[in-house]
Amino acid sequence: MTLISDPYFYLLAIPVCLLIGISKGGFAGSLGILSVPLLSLLISPVQAAAIVLPILCVMDIFGLIAYRRTADWRNLAYLLPGALAGILIGYLLFNYLSADFIKILLGVICVIFTLNHYIRKVPADHAAKANLTRGSFWGTIAGFTSFVAHAGGPPVQFYMLPQKINKTLYVGTSVWFFFVINYVKLIPYGLLGQFSMQNIGTSLVLLPLAPIGIWLGVKAHKLISEEVFYRIAYMLLLLVGGKLLWDGLSGMNLLF
């Protein structure tokens, strides 16, 4: 079986895969956005995305086992059509947009949204409602960024967090959302020739970490209060946004 042989890659990839699982199982994928940027320290972003996708798909199955009866179906109905359109846009533009462009785009959105949350100081009893227009817009952004760099978490958070729904319902909705779009992404990834024998072999080696990470995330979710959960979610958005913005501006290669 052909796979990446660099031991330094696995020293990085093993904790990254566990981090993705913990994030998907307990924190609605907040930290999953770091997977491709971190692995890109040692391999190309395109290869990193291809290796991570099958692992995400396996994690989605274990996530559904944990949250199979938990989802906000109205929000899913608003988000998913736009997400499918975003995946199509990502597929059509994949050969033209650089990793730096995507990092800058995500970084700006993350930072502006989080700072706006803290500056506005919305009353605790105020919550946004599910909305088709906003859901379609953020769903499209999530589908696009998820296709390019498995970074669909922040756009979904931008739409869902202001609704202040129960944390378990929030995570369950996110699990269902990414289950659908990650499996849809397998088709265009295959058409783009990203599933080489080396990439598939490396994914298979890392796959056993998927259920372990999800299990750790579910346990962490049960131990953390809803107030702390939302504090962590917004804090992670700000940190991730700053990291992506820094990396993108450092590269400044906006087009291939």
Side-chain angles (χ1 to χ4, degrees):
M1 180 172 60
T2 304
L3 48 86
I4 294 175
S5 57
D6 183 1
Y8 292 107
F9 169 79
Y10 294 97
L11 286 176
L12 179 61
I14 290 173
V16 165
C17 288
L18 289 174
L19 186 66
I20 297 171
I22 293 171
S23 179
K24 288 179 72 66
F27 301 98
S30 302
L31 291 174
I33 190 175
L34 293 174
S35 60
V36 171
L38 286 174
L39 292 179
S40 298
L41 295 173
L42 296 176
I43 59 178
S44 74
V46 173
Q47 186 178 20
I51 290 172
V52 169
L53 181 56
I55 300 171
L56 291 176
C57 289
V58 173
M59 287 181 176
D60 288 330
I61 294 176
F62 286 98
L64 277 187
I65 293 174
Y67 296 98
R68 60 188 178 278
R69 296 186 179 91
T70 306
D72 186 322
W73 305 110
R74 175 177 293 182
N75 273 318
L76 283 175
Y78 292 165
L79 285 166
L80 282 172
L84 298 179
I87 291 173
L88 178 60
I89 294 171
Y91 169 69
L92 295 175
L93 297 180
F94 189 75
N95 292 321
Y96 302 97
L97 300 177
S98 72
D100 291 320
F101 176 85
I102 299 301
K103 290 175 183 177
I104 292 172
L105 175 64
L106 283 172
V108 168
I109 294 174
C110 287
V111 171
I112 290 178
F113 178 83
T114 310
L115 292 179
N116 180 61
H117 165 74
Y118 288 122
I119 293 173
R120 285 190 312 163
K121 295 182 179 180
V122 179
D125 59 347
H126 177 81
K129 302 293 184 181
N131 180 276
L132 177 59
T133 301
R134 291 197 301 270
S136 299
F137 173 77
W138 288 115
T140 302
I141 300 298
F144 174 73
T145 54
S146 180
F147 178 85
V148 174
H150 305 317
V156 173
Q157 289 177 311
F158 304 156
Y159 172 69
M160 295 282 290
L161 284 178
Q163 297 181 35
K164 299 185 182 294
I165 62 176
N166 172 272
K167 67 172 183 177
T168 302
L169 185 62
Y170 174 75
V171 174
T173 303
S174 176
V175 167
W176 274 98
F177 177 81
F178 287 106
F179 169 79
V180 174
I181 68 171
N182 282 336
Y183 276 89
V184 169
K185 278 157 44 180
L186 290 171
I187 299 173
Y189 267 54
L191 293 175
L192 289 169
Q194 295 200 61
F195 294 132
S196 66
M197 293 303 296
Q198 184 184 58
N199 290 344
I200 292 296
T202 304
S203 296
L204 289 174
V205 169
L206 295 171
L207 275 181
L209 298 171
I212 298 174
I214 291 291
W215 180 80
L216 291 173
V218 171
K219 290 295 183 181
H221 175 83
K222 293 178 180 179
L223 295 174
I224 297 177
S225 70
E226 195 160 330
E227 181 181 357
V228 173
F229 170 79
Y230 279 103
R231 286 181 181 178
I232 291 175
Y234 277 110
M235 185 181 301
L236 290 176
L237 274 177
L238 183 59
L239 292 175
V240 169
K243 174 69 165 59
L244 290 174
L245 191 55
W246 173 265
D247 289 348
L249 291 174
S250 297
M252 288 301 291
N253 178 27
L254 303 186
L255 295 174
F256 284 120

